[in-house]
Structure formats: structure tokens, C-alpha cells
Amino acid sequence: MKIFHFFKKYGILRNNVYNKKFERGILMILSCQNICKTFVEKPVLQNISFHLNENDRLAIIGYNGAGKSTLLKILIGEISYDEGEISLKKDASIGYLAQHQDHTFHHTIFDELLSVKKEVIELNEQMRTYEQEMKHLTGDALEQKMNQYTNATHRFEQLNGFAYKSEITGILKGLGFSEEDFTKEINTLSGGQRTRVALGKLLLKNPDILLLDEPTNHLDVDSIRWLENYLSHYKGAVIIVSHDRYFLDKIVNKVMEIDQGHSMLFDGNYTTFIEKRDQIKAIRLKEYKHQQQEIKHQQEVIKKLKQFNREKSIKRAESREKALNKIDVLEKPTEYNADMRLSIEPEIISGNDVLTLKDVSKSFGNKSLFHGLSADIFREERVALIGPNGTGKTTLLKIICKKISNNGGTISLGAGVSIGYYDQAQDNLDDSKTIFDEISDAYPDLNNTKIRNTLAAFLRALGDSKSPLYFLIISAVLNVFGDLFFVVVLKAGCNGCAVSTVLSEALCCLFCVIYIQKKVPILRLGKKWLVFDASLLKRTIAYGWASAMQQATVQLGKIGIQAIVNTMGVSVAAAFAVVNRIDDFAYTPEQNIAHAMTALMAQNKGAGKKDRMREGFRCGFILEVIYGSLVLIICYVFARPLMMLFVKDEEVIGHGVTYLHLISVMYLLPALTNGIQGFFRGIGDLKITLISSFINMALRVLAAAPLVFIWKMGIEALPYSYLAGWIGMLVAETPLLLKTYKTWGKKGETPC
């Protein structure tokens, strides 16, 4: 017995954990061995094994869709299983409470529960009949009738016949019904009330095994407490499917988790299960990672052996392959993410006043549900509506949504307020439709692409912010080394720089396409994408015009500056052409860091991860400053060697050195402006980037013209004109950045 209790306290229950020789006197009532079920080639349950003793309270838990309800339906025979064995104690009865109820009866609540006691009622009538008949019988006939009466009375007592009405009353009151509710028809009840009626019927049947699928979904707090107490003293076994951890903690003594079709059985309540589960999953994850590393190592060894292309090495490779194929590959344990966030952003931000209720009342016939209800609800508030079942919570929501009318009072919505209603019974869903069809029919104005993108975003945000950064880094590095190769080695000059830029960008694009095809199936290109969608094109243009105009503005500004430079002589123009290439070396990584910030912030904005957006902006900004400082030092210290990489003319080199000594000190400013523009692009505000870019290029040209034509400055005029442009950008952007960032820091706010 000491050994048994040790395992009861610390052990994990699997399959046939309890041995009868350790638990004499406790009978097993249900046994399931290796139950398997597959739907359309998808295994839902694989080798599910457990057993249930007479007084066990078993919780079945797992993600939605894991197969919990399927297992319950298999146990009651509603669904067949493919493999395995189910053994039930002789004459044992099973009662099942489904998650969703469908009552269409015109019975009253009391009559509905009374139907469970049909045998008791019939026995009572039979006993009254026997009593009347015995008045007129004598001799053997009387003795025979008395025996029949005795047997009926005995059975009547077994079924608690003398107190069955009190039993019904007690259960109904325990489930939150008042005596006034007993005469209500089922069809007039709310979803929660109907569930309670079904639960009451089930408890009255008093089966040997209770199967409860989400029994607390529609119960108020008091009813849950009553059910906890009832089940704690229930004489039979109970199997519960529930996500209510507090309810499970108080009821169950066993927990079975279904994960990826497989089951693990634990001894203890829910809290104990969590502790043990996490320990086991950590060990399994470590084992999985170790095995994966070993498999990868063996695959690399096999690849190298085959590359030798010798008979001996090939045989060794084949031997290792055979050993590798015999490995029982471990499944990766499910990693639980408790940081799930659902971002719901309205298209139009409402005013501060959202909803006003004043003296709202509602009655059904002569019964007043509520009256004099008043409240003011403001933007960003989170309001909980609580109360016992049947007090009018759902009714009030339907009144607010104008699905039903109120009898008195007023309801006012604030400016720009739209209402979204989530029905607890999902009565507005068509079970015969697919998810896509349901959304498509409800929102006919949405195109297929928008619907699929929305569903994909709801199911999972990709959250891959590193890969775009890697591709951009690769592109920048390739561009740098490509310029060096084409200019220094091949002496291709400006043409070489252009070729290098095109090749680096093309390779970056190719990497992105390959990555998407391999790692992001939902974005994988195919024939279904080759569809012209006018509405989508319109929206793309509406979003992209600002970016296009920004690029056009930058190029027009460069043309203006070049026009001014062309008036300054051949040597200055030649020097300017060279320093432009060096500027490209300086600016391109800064721009790519900003692009990486944009990608990271945009992805996390879509995923609703505001903290990661903030961190992405902070880290990107730091990188910009670090890189700007590094370029400053390099271009100032090595100005002359950098010029000599491109030209040998001393006059041109002199002009270039003058330019670089001035511009290098200012390289921190474009680092800052690029970082800020990356922020605004990331939150989707491209108008600010357009305006600031226009200010930058306009001030450059406006400053360069008088510096050159009036004050007769040489190439040194250009860095000063650039300084004017960058300062103008910062003056325009910085207040907006601070304002947006401050708003962003408020609870519930996300920049848009």
C-alpha cells in the first residue's frame, strides 16, 4: 500500500495504471483501450487508453478540435470508432450532456424534468389501481394482488418515489430556477436556461457514469457552486470536458490531456496536472531537439560520405541511412502560447461617448424583466454584464443591437459607433456552410482575397520578422561588394554600380520568393492568384500612391541638385558623381535598416503585438545611430583613399575630400530621418513620409541655388543644402513622432 500511495502522489497515470490488487473494493466501471478515430484521412484520436473507477472524476482537456467531444460521443455510441476496445460494467448506465442543446418542446420546465420520472409516475398509478382492486378481492386473488402491490411499492421506494417531486424541486432550485420559473415553457427560455434544464434531467436520471461536455458554459456563479457540491457527492463516476480550470480544480481527481491525437493521463486536479505536464513537456522537448540534432548530424555525415564517391564510403553511408531509417522519430511536443492576442481595430474611431442607457425597461407579458436601467459607457471602457441566468443579460444586448425592442427608456449610440454582436448560441451560423462561405455570404462586398487574408490573420499571424531583415542585410552586403567588384576590379565605373544594385535587389527578391514557396504556404503563388480584381487594385493604388509620390519627389529633388551641380564645372560634376556613389554606400544600409523596421512593425501591428512594435522601433533606431556614427568616422578619416578608388585627378579628389569632410559629420541626420520614416511606414502612415520627403528635397534645392549662384560657393554648398533638407525633415517629423508615440503608450491604443 505504501508503494501504491507513492505512485498515487507522484506518478503519472498511463493506460492500466491502477492495479486491482492495490484497490480492492473499488470496481472499475469503464475501460477504454487503444481507441482510434479518423475523419477523412485525418487521425483525430490515436490509441486513447484510460479506465474509470466507480467514484472517479476525470477531466478531459485539450485544444478546441483536439477530439474531446468526439471521444464522449464514441463512449455513448453516437459515433463509431475505428480501432480499440471499450468495456463497460454490466448494467452500467451512461448519461450525456451535450455542449449544445436543441429543445423544441412546448413542455414546462417542471414537466420536462417530470418526464424523467415516468417509471415512478406509472408505478404510483399502478399502486393506486392495486389498492382499488384489493377492496373487491378475497382469497388467492387478494394474496396475488397484494404480492404485486408489495413488489411495486418496493420498486417505488428504490426510485425514491415518495420524494420525487421534492427531488425535482431541489435540483431546479439548485440550478438557479425559482418556483415561478417551473411553469415556463422550454421554448421561451434562453440558451443558458435550456442547458440547465438538460443538466437537471440528466442529474435526475442518476446514471452510473455522467458525461458532461462544457457543463458550466451557461451557468451563473451560484449554479456553478451548486453543481460543484452536487458532483463532489455524486455516487457514480463523472467525465468532464471543460475549460473552466477553477471548476475542474474542485471536482476532478484525474486529468487526461488529448494533444495531437494522443493522450496522457495524470493523477490529481487541474493545478497538479499543469505542474506535471509542463515538467514532462520540457523533458520531451529537450529529447526531441536532441534527436533532431542527431538526425541532422547523421544526414550531414551521410552526405559527406557520398561525396567521396568511393565504394567503402558509399557502403558506410548506406549503413548509416539504414540505421537512420530505423529511428523512431519523436513528435514535437505542442508548445503552449499563453500570450494570445486578438486585435480588433475599428475602421472609424468613435467619440468619447459610446453608449448611453436611460431608464431602459423590458417586459414579457405581465412579467417585468428589468426596469429603470441606466448607464453611461465611454470609449476604451471594458464593461462586464453579470447576473443569474434568465435575468435579462442577453435580452439587454439584443435590445442594444436593435434585434428586439425595449418597452421603455432610451438607448443612444455615440458618434461613429458601430456594434459587433457575438451570440452565445451562434444562432446566426449555418452548419451546412464552410467557414469561407459563411463569411462570404455575410459580407458580399468583400473580395475573396480579403476574406482569405482575414481568415489567415485570425488563425495565425506569421510573426516572422527576422527573415525580411536577413534578406535586406544580404541585399545590402551584396550591393556593397558588388560595387567594389564592378568598380575596382572590372573598372566598370557608374555602370558597374548600377549593375550591382540591380543584381543585389533581384537576388533579394528571389530569396523572398523561394522563402515564401517553402515556408509560407498561405502566400504560395498559383493559378488562383492570376485573377484581376478591380476593387483590390483600387485599394492597392489608394495605399501605394503616397509611396510612389515619395519616390518621385526624391528623384525630382536629385534632378534639381544635379542641374545646379552641372553649372559648377567639369571637375565639380566629376567629384559629385563619385561622392554620390560613396553616399550610396552610406545611405543604402540606413535605408535597409529602415525597411526592416517597417516590415517588423507592420507584421507585429497585424498580429496585435504592440510591445514588439515598440521594441522593433527602438532597436532599429539604435542600429541607425550606430551605423550613422560608424559611417561618419570612416568617411571623414578615409575621405581621400575613398576618392582615389574612383579617380586619379587631384582636382576632382580635392573637391570630393572637401564634400566628404563636411557631409560625413551630417551622416547621423539621415540615419535619424530614415529611422523615423521606417516607423511611420510600419504603422501605415505614408502621408507623413511623403510630406517630409517633399520638404527635404524642396529645401535642398532652395538652399543650394542661392549658395551657388549668389554666394558663389563650390561643392561645399551641397552638404549645407542637404543639412537644410534634413533639418526640415526632422522639424516636420519629430513632433508627429512624439505625438504618435505618446498616444501609442496609452492603454488600448495602437497607431494607425
Side-chain angles (χ1 to χ4, degrees):
M1 285 300 288
K2 290 181 179 179
I3 296 174
F4 169 70
H5 286 301
F6 176 85
F7 283 106
K8 284 277 286 184
K9 186 175 181 181
Y10 299 105
I12 300 166
L13 303 174
R14 296 178 183 271
N15 300 338
N16 296 323
V17 175
Y18 287 129
N19 194 312
K20 285 187 179 180
K21 67 182 179 181
F22 291 131
E23 293 194 77
R24 294 189 179 95
I26 300 178
L27 298 178
M28 185 171 64
I29 193 170
L30 174 67
S31 174
C32 294
Q33 296 293 326
N34 301 317
I35 303 300
C36 299
K37 181 64 182 179
T38 299
F39 290 106
V40 196
E41 300 182 356
K42 181 184 178 182
V44 178
L45 302 174
Q46 302 180 63
N47 298 317
I48 305 296
S49 298
F50 69 96
H51 75 267
L52 205 65
N53 295 319
E54 283 183 327
N55 297 314
D56 276 339
R57 307 289 188 266
L58 171 67
I60 302 178
I61 65 170
Y63 283 122
N64 289 333
K68 307 183 296 296
S69 297
T70 299
L71 180 58
L72 296 188
K73 291 177 180 180
I74 287 174
L75 294 177
I76 64 173
E78 184 174 322
I79 297 177
S80 62
Y81 51 98
D82 302 326
E83 298 180 27
E85 183 180 355
I86 297 177
S87 300
L88 186 65
K89 177 186 173 185
K90 186 179 180 181
D91 299 327
S93 58
I94 298 179
Y96 173 58
L97 176 71
Q99 187 173 165
H100 303 287
Q101 303 297 322
D102 184 21
H103 294 282
T104 57
F105 308 114
H106 293 278
H107 301 160
T108 65
I109 295 175
F110 194 88
D111 289 340
E112 187 70 13
L113 266 70
L114 197 62
S115 65
V116 177
K117 297 295 183 178
K118 183 179 179 182
E119 184 181 357
V120 174
I121 295 170
E122 290 177 349
L123 282 171
N124 188 50
E125 293 176 353
Q126 195 175 53
M127 289 164 58
R128 301 288 80 81
T129 302
Y130 290 159
E131 290 172 356
Q132 294 298 323
E133 291 176 349
M134 286 190 293
K135 292 179 180 180
H136 309 289
L137 297 176
T138 58
D140 293 341
L142 177 61
E143 186 177 351
Q144 183 180 0
K145 190 62 64 176
M146 288 182 65
N147 290 333
Q148 293 176 344
Y149 181 80
T150 301
N151 294 333
T153 304
H154 179 68
R155 178 60 179 166
F156 189 75
E157 290 175 348
Q158 283 182 328
L159 298 174
N160 195 28
F162 293 107
Y164 73 93
K165 289 186 178 181
S166 298
E167 186 181 2
I168 294 173
T169 300
I171 287 177
L172 286 175
K173 287 186 175 181
L175 290 172
F177 292 106
S178 66
E179 291 192 12
E180 294 179 356
D181 296 329
F182 291 1
T183 57
K184 288 183 178 178
E185 290 192 355
I186 304 296
N187 289 338
T188 66
L189 303 181
S190 67
Q193 289 173 317
R194 295 184 185 189
T195 299
R196 285 188 291 155
V197 171
L199 179 59
K201 288 180 64 178
L202 184 60
L203 297 179
L204 277 176
K205 291 178 181 177
N206 199 31
D208 297 296
I209 305 175
L210 273 174
L211 307 183
L212 306 178
D213 196 351
E214 301 289 356
T216 64
N217 272 3
H218 301 290
L219 299 183
D220 56 44
V221 176
D222 291 335
S223 297
I224 292 174
R225 289 173 181 166
W226 179 87
L227 184 61
E228 289 172 354
N229 183 66
Y230 188 95
L231 294 179
S232 298
H233 297 87
Y234 192 74
K235 294 182 179 180
V238 182
I239 299 178
I240 305 171
V241 171
S242 178
H243 293 91
D244 189 337
R245 63 178 67 184
Y246 306 104
F247 178 73
L248 295 179
D249 257 345
K250 294 184 178 182
I251 300 298
V252 304
N253 66 319
K254 293 180 180 179
V255 178
M256 183 174 72
E257 181 187 37
I258 300 179
D259 180 24
Q260 298 178 351
H262 300 282
S263 65
M264 286 194 300
L265 193 60
F266 299 80
D267 189 17
N269 60 12
Y270 184 84
T271 300
T272 306
F273 149 73
I274 290 294
E275 295 172 355
K276 293 179 179 179
R277 190 235 6 227
D278 290 347
Q279 294 172 2
I280 293 169
K281 292 273 174 102
I283 295 171
R284 290 188 173 182
L285 185 60
K286 186 176 179 180
E287 292 174 347
Y288 169 79
K289 289 180 177 179
H290 178 74
Q291 188 188 64
Q292 289 296 308
Q293 289 174 355
E294 181 60 27
I295 291 173
K296 186 177 180 180
H297 172 69
Q298 291 298 327
Q299 289 172 341
E300 290 174 352
V301 172
I302 292 168
K303 184 179 179 180
K304 289 180 180 179
L305 288 172
K306 287 183 177 180
Q307 288 174 347
F308 290 135
N309 202 22
R310 300 174 186 168
E311 184 179 355
K312 187 177 180 180
S313 62
I314 291 174
K315 286 185 177 180
R316 289 175 62 190
E318 290 174 350
S319 176
R320 285 179 178 265
E321 278 185 330
K322 289 180 181 178
L324 193 61
N325 292 333
K326 292 180 180 179
I327 294 177
D328 186 12
V329 180
L330 302 174
E331 288 186 1
K332 184 180 181 181
T334 302
E335 296 184 66
Y336 297 92
N337 181 17
D339 192 29
M340 177 182 175
R341 301 179 183 179
L342 183 62
S343 178
I344 302 176
E345 298 183 16
E347 294 183 357
I348 301 174
I349 303 299
S350 72
N352 188 56
D353 296 333
V354 173
L355 176 66
T356 300
L357 307 176
K358 188 175 181 179
D359 296 327
V360 178
S361 61
K362 180 64 181 177
S363 301
F364 290 98
N366 296 324
K367 180 174 176 60
S368 174
L369 198 59
F370 51 79
H371 64 277
L373 199 154
S374 300
D376 294 307
I377 300 173
F378 304 101
R379 183 160 56 90
E380 299 181 17
E381 287 189 333
R382 308 291 186 265
V383 180
L385 190 59
I386 64 173
N389 290 116
T391 54
K393 302 184 299 296
T394 301
T395 300
L396 179 61
L397 294 183
K398 289 181 178 180
I399 290 173
I400 294 171
C401 296
K402 297 182 179 180
K403 293 182 178 294
I404 60 176
S405 61
N406 52 306
N407 298 121
T410 58
I411 299 174
S412 305
L413 296 179
V417 173
S418 60
I419 298 177
Y421 178 55
Y422 181 75
D423 181 12
Q424 65 174 331
Q426 293 92 50
D427 290 332
N428 59 335
L429 298 180
D430 189 343
D431 294 338
S432 64
K433 293 181 180 179
T434 65
I435 298 174
F436 184 90
D437 291 337
E438 186 72 36
I439 295 177
S440 179
D441 293 344
Y443 301 96
D445 295 335
L446 292 181
N447 58 66
N448 292 354
T449 303
K450 177 66 175 177
I451 294 174
R452 295 186 186 279
N453 289 343
T454 302
L455 290 174
F458 184 84
L459 292 174
R460 60 178 181 136
L462 295 177
D464 186 358
S465 306
K466 293 182 180 179
S467 298
L469 177 61
Y470 294 153
F471 296 144
L472 291 168
I473 291 173
I474 292 170
S475 175
V477 172
L478 288 174
N479 199 2
V480 171
F481 284 99
D483 282 347
L484 292 173
F485 176 75
F486 285 106
V487 175
V488 179
V489 179
L490 299 183
K491 310 295 183 182
C494 294
N495 291 337
C497 290
V499 172
S500 173
T501 300
V502 172
L503 288 177
S504 64
E505 294 295 331
L507 284 172
C508 181
C509 180
L510 179 62
F511 293 152
C512 289
V513 171
I514 294 172
Y515 179 80
I516 288 172
Q517 292 294 109
K518 297 286 187 184
K519 299 292 187 180
V520 194
I522 199 168
L523 299 181
R524 206 169 280 162
L525 298 176
K527 292 182 179 180
K528 63 182 180 180
W529 289 70
L530 302 176
V531 178
F532 178 75
D533 192 325
S535 63
L536 185 60
L537 176 62
K538 183 179 179 181
R539 293 173 57 200
T540 303
I541 293 173
Y543 184 81
W545 77 269
S547 180
M549 290 299 297
Q550 179 192 0
Q551 297 299 320
T553 300
V554 171
Q555 297 307 316
L556 287 172
K558 288 183 177 181
I559 292 172
I561 293 294
Q562 187 66 56
I564 294 172
V565 171
N566 291 343
T567 66
M568 301 168 67
V570 176
S571 60
V572 173
F576 184 70
V578 174
V579 295
N580 263 338
R581 302 284 70 79
I582 298 172
D583 279 342
D584 287 341
F585 284 118
Y587 297 152
T588 300
E590 290 179 354
Q591 292 169 350
N592 285 339
I593 292 171
H595 291 322
M597 288 171 61
T598 297
L600 188 146
M601 292 181 66
Q603 283 188 337
N604 286 288
K605 183 177 186 289
K609 297 181 178 180
K610 187 166 58 179
D611 292 340
R612 290 197 67 189
M613 290 177 66
R614 190 188 301 274
E615 184 67 13
F617 171 64
R618 188 183 69 83
C619 292
F621 209 78
I622 291 172
L623 285 174
E624 291 280 19
V625 174
I626 293 172
Y627 178 79
S629 303
L630 182 64
V631 172
L632 184 158
I633 296 170
I634 293 173
C635 289
Y636 189 89
V637 175
F638 300 102
R640 186 173 185 82
L642 287 172
M643 288 297 299
M644 292 178 67
L645 290 173
F646 297 90
V647 294
K648 301 300 181 184
D649 188 289
E650 283 296 329
E651 186 179 359
V652 175
I653 292 174
H655 288 309
V657 171
T658 300
Y659 176 94
L660 289 174
H661 279 165
L662 288 171
I663 201 71
S664 61
V665 181
M666 305 172 190
Y667 275 146
L668 274 177
L669 295 178
L672 299 178
T673 59
N674 274 306
I676 294 173
Q677 289 211 327
F679 170 84
F680 283 113
R681 285 197 302 269
I683 66 174
D685 195 342
L686 299 183
K687 291 181 181 179
I688 293 177
T689 63
L690 170 60
I691 294 170
S692 62
S693 295
F694 178 81
I695 292 172
N696 178 20
M697 302 315 296
L699 288 176
R700 282 190 186 190
V701 176
L702 292 173
L707 290 174
V708 173
F709 299 131
I710 298 176
W711 284 286
K712 305 299 180 181
M713 296 178 67
I715 198 170
E716 64 270 20
L718 301 178
Y720 290 124
S721 69
Y722 288 5
L723 177 63
W726 288 325
I727 290 175
M729 284 187 80
L730 290 173
V731 170
E733 291 177 335
T734 304
L736 295 172
L737 172 67
L738 295 175
K739 182 181 178 182
T740 305
Y741 203 81
K742 185 179 180 181
T743 304
W744 190 9
K746 294 180 179 180
K747 187 177 179 181
E749 288 285 341
T750 302
C752 57

